[in-house]
Structure formats: C-alpha cells, structure tokens
C-alpha cells in the first residue's frame, strides 16, 4: 500500500486483516513523517476549508469564441513543465487554452494571455503539489483522489489544504466496507506530534458521526469513546474546532450510555476547552435521551458553582437552564481570549 491505485477487495472476507495491515502501514508512515518534520510539534492552526472547483469558468464562452477560431498555437512553461497552448485571435483579444489543464485565459496580446494562464493555473498547481508532498512524490499529483488506495487517503488527511483532507475523508466514507478503518482512525485521534493533526482529527471525528459504519462491535465503541475523551482531556487549543466536534460526536452520535459517561468525566478535565465541549455535548445527550435530563442538569449546575473559569461557570449555569426548559436551542459557548 502507498500512493497506488485502489484495488478491488472481495466482499466476503479480509476486512479485519486489511484494517490491521493498513493501520500498521499508516502508523509507520506517520512516525516517519513526524521525524521528517523534526519531531513532535504543537499543532498548527489550519485555515478554513475552501472548496476547490476545477475547471474554472472558460472565458472564451463569454465572448462566443467559435471552435474554428482556435487556429494559433503557442507553448508555456510552468513549474518545469511545458504545455501546448491553443490560441484564438479575435477582435475582443487573444484567447489561450491548455486542454491538459482545462484552463483558459484572455489577454490584449499573446504575452499577456500567457501571463494570465500562469496566474490562473497556480491554484491547481498548489493543490497538486501539496497532495504530492503528502504522498511522498516529487512530481505534481495529476490523478484523482478517489482512485488512490486506502493508505494514500489516510496520508491525505494530513494535507495542509483542508479541502484535500475533506475529499480524502469523503472517499474513505464511501469505501468504508472495504476494510476496518477504525484502528487507523484511532491513530489519528491519538496523534500528539504532527503539526497538521487538528484538521485530520476533525475529519476522523466527522466520519465517526456515522459511528455504526466504523464501530461494529461494543469494544470498538469503547475504544472510539476512549480515544475521543483522551483527545479532549488536556487540549490546549480548539484549532479547526476539533475539540468542539469531539463533544458533538460523544453527545449527539455515540450511544448516550457511552457518550454521556465520557462527557460527565470531561466536566472535570484540566482543560477548559475540554470542559466547554463537554457542557455543550451534554445538551445533545439529553436531546437524544430525555430520561437523563435531571442527572445532566444536576451535574451541570454543580459545575456552574465549581468550574475554575468564570466564563464556564456562567455557561454551565445557562446551559443547565436551557436543558431544564426543554428548549431546542442553547446558549452560545464562550470564546476564550486569544481564540479569534
């Protein structure tokens, strides 16, 4: 397994074996990647996800350039590669297109058109090189993410571009019957060293919202809950809203008996970020399991009187009131200094 193409897997067996082999290979890669980056590092705050759309609008369509207008030809070099450019000279300007990149540009003359192509191509090249870097390839990635094997997809969860991470997670979700992905997902949740871990952890938590797909046995639910609780327990940041997401998964998606117990424990965690996520998560527990309302209200009000953070004292008290009122909405969580 690596950055190769996905191979078909028989539907009647091998899922657990594939999952074990995947986790071993992924764990080896992750350790090597952390070492390559200089050892354990604090998390880097990722930017917001910006969905990538390609190809961009074909400018020639806006000017009704006719297919027979593409009579000229030029070439352009970008990032060490040379590309053929088809050229159309019209009363509206000079148009160029690189069919290999699904890209067009317009300029007053050929030079300005070629300059426009260079600028317009950069988002594609940036994405392709970021993917290649994750996969350990020197050349830009020119394939399709959906065609990669499972190990490559888990590598891409760590891409600096959150949209790439999102796309890789989407493919894993669609492919979830192929292998037991939970061991590899738990490695991501347990990661305390890779600088880009927060976005990858968010992606795994997003997958676990459909926990039945990945946790098919009671012991697997226990393992997932423990990993999420550990992730939350001492969190010093909430980059990518990962810790908030963890509380949502425990409170709104994992069975109430397991998720609630973990969240009640997290109310006493040393991390105020963890406690904030736990208070929020418990609101969702009651939504799904109204029979625990009084227990949760009692615990929340106790925290309102003892939480060492004044903002969380107020938050817990108001959240308890919201739960007691049976409302379908709740007070917004506080934002700590330095989080914006």
């Amino acid at each position: 397994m690596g950055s190769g193409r996905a191979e078909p897997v028989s539907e009647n067996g091998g899922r657990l074996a594939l999952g074990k082999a995947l986790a071993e290979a992924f764990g080896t890669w992750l350790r090597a990647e952390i070492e390559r980056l200089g050892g354990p590092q604090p998390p880097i705050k990722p930017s917001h996800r910006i969905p990538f759309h390609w190809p961009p609008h074909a400018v020639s369509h806006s000017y009704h350039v006719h297919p027979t207008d593409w009579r000229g030809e030029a070439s352009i070099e970008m990032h060490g590669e040379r590309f053929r450019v088809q050229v159309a000279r019209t009363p509206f300007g000079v148009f160029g297109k690189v069919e290999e990149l699904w890209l067009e540009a317009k300029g007053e003359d050929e030079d300005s058109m070629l300059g426009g192509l260079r600028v317009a191509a950069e988002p594609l090249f940036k994405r392709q090189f970021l993917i290649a870097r994750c996969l350990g390839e020197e050349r830009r990635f020119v394939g399709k993410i959906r065609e990669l094997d499972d190990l490559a997809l888990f590598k891409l969860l760590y891409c600096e571009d959150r949209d790439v991470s999102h796309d890789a997670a989407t493919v894993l979700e669609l492919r979830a019957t192929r292998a037991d992905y939970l061991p590899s997902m738990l490695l991501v949740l347990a990661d305390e060293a890779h600088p880009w871990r927060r976005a990858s952890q968010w992606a795994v938590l997003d997958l676990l919202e459909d926990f039945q797909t990945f946790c098919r046995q009671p012991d697997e639910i226990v393992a997932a809950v423990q990993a999420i609780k550990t992730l939350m327990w001492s969190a010093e940041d909430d980059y990518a809203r990962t810790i908030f997401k963890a509380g949502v998964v425990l409170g709104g998606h994992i069975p109430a008996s397991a998720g609630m117990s973990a969240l009640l424990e997290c109310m006493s965690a040393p991390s105020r970020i963890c406690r904030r996520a736990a208070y929020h998560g418990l609101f969702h527990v009651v939504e799904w399991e109204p029979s625990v309302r009084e227990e949760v209200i009692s615990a929340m009000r106790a925290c309102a009187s003892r939480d060492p953070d004044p903002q969380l004292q107020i938050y817990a008290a108001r959240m308890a009131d919201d739960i007691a009122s049976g409302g379908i909405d709740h007070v917004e969580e506080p934002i700590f200094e330095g989080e914006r």
Side-chain angles (χ1 to χ4, degrees):
M1 286 185 284
S3 60
R5 303 304 177 191
E7 298 179 358
V9 178
S10 62
E11 295 179 356
N12 59 356
R15 180 175 172 273
L16 293 177
L18 280 173
K20 181 179 179 182
L22 172 63
E24 290 175 353
F26 175 57
T28 298
W29 172 83
L30 184 56
R31 290 188 293 273
E33 186 69 4
I34 292 167
E35 183 177 350
R36 183 186 71 81
L37 293 171
Q41 299 177 37
I44 293 174
K45 183 178 182 178
S47 58
H48 294 295
R49 178 193 165 212
I50 302 175
F52 182 76
H53 300 292
W54 201 268
H57 172 69
V59 65
S60 66
H61 293 179
S62 299
Y63 290 86
H64 306 291
V65 177
H66 194 272
T68 59
D69 292 334
W70 300 95
R71 294 188 293 269
E73 188 171 315
S75 66
I76 185 171
E77 184 172 329
M78 296 182 285
H79 294 279
E81 294 184 63
R82 186 159 291 279
F83 299 90
R84 175 176 175 265
V85 182
Q86 297 180 56
V87 179
R89 293 177 172 84
T90 78
F92 305 106
V94 179
F95 295 81
K97 66 178 175 180
V98 181
E99 289 193 337
E100 184 178 346
L101 301 177
W102 294 77
L103 182 65
E104 291 189 6
K106 172 185 174 294
E108 294 182 359
D109 52 32
E110 185 171 302
D111 286 343
S112 62
M113 175 271 290
L114 293 175
L117 283 174
R118 286 191 176 90
V119 172
E122 276 309 299
L124 175 65
F125 282 124
K126 180 180 179 181
R127 178 181 171 94
Q128 290 177 329
F129 281 118
L130 285 173
I131 292 173
R133 187 187 307 169
C134 274
L135 300 180
E137 298 175 354
E138 294 184 3
R139 294 176 60 85
R140 65 189 176 93
F141 176 74
V142 296
K144 296 179 174 62
I145 289 176
R146 67 175 181 270
E147 295 176 349
L148 294 173
D149 65 24
D150 294 341
L151 176 57
L153 293 172
F154 269 93
K155 291 178 181 180
L156 290 186
L157 294 182
Y158 281 85
C159 187
E160 295 176 34
D161 186 332
R162 288 190 68 184
D163 189 60
V164 172
S165 177
H166 171 270
D167 288 351
T170 298
V171 177
L172 285 170
E173 184 174 26
L174 294 173
R175 210 186 273 179
T177 57
R178 289 171 43 86
D180 178 15
Y181 291 151
L182 185 62
S184 296
M185 295 165 73
L186 296 182
L187 289 177
V188 175
L189 294 178
D191 179 12
E192 296 181 342
H194 196 289
W196 293 109
R197 59 187 178 270
R198 286 297 184 243
S200 58
Q201 288 166 340
W202 190 97
V204 165
L205 289 165
D206 194 52
L207 290 173
L208 284 173
E209 288 191 351
D210 183 21
F211 78 94
Q212 299 98 327
T213 297
F214 304 98
C215 303
R216 302 189 177 188
Q217 302 296 329
D219 63 323
E220 293 177 332
I221 296 176
V222 171
V225 168
Q226 182 59 45
I228 296 171
K229 187 181 81 170
T230 300
L231 170 65
M232 297 172 65
W233 190 258
S234 300
E236 296 181 357
D237 66 85
D238 201 8
Y239 295 159
R241 298 282 275 170
T242 297
I243 308 306
F244 178 86
K245 182 78 164 183
V248 170
V249 173
L250 288 180
H253 299 275
I254 299 290
S257 57
M260 176 179 168
S261 296
L263 290 172
L264 288 173
E265 291 182 50
C266 285
M267 294 170 86
S268 300
S271 165
R272 64 179 181 174
I273 292 170
C274 174
R275 299 195 304 275
R276 178 178 63 185
Y279 297 157
H280 173 260
L282 283 163
F283 180 91
H284 295 297
V285 168
V286 176
E287 281 186 313
W288 291 103
E289 190 60 56
S291 65
V292 302
R293 174 178 281 108
E294 295 307 319
E295 181 180 356
V296 169
I297 291 172
S298 177
M300 198 82 73
R301 285 182 170 151
C303 287
S305 64
R306 70 166 185 261
D307 194 295
D309 188 286
Q311 290 187 88
L312 290 182
Q313 290 178 10
I314 297 171
Y315 181 52
R318 291 181 176 175
M319 189 67 82
D321 291 341
D322 289 339
I323 295 172
S325 70
I328 60 173
D329 204 355
H330 55 77
V331 64
E332 290 188 9
E333 66 277 4
I335 304 299
F336 298 129
E337 184 179 356
E339 285 195 305
R340 291 195 185 280

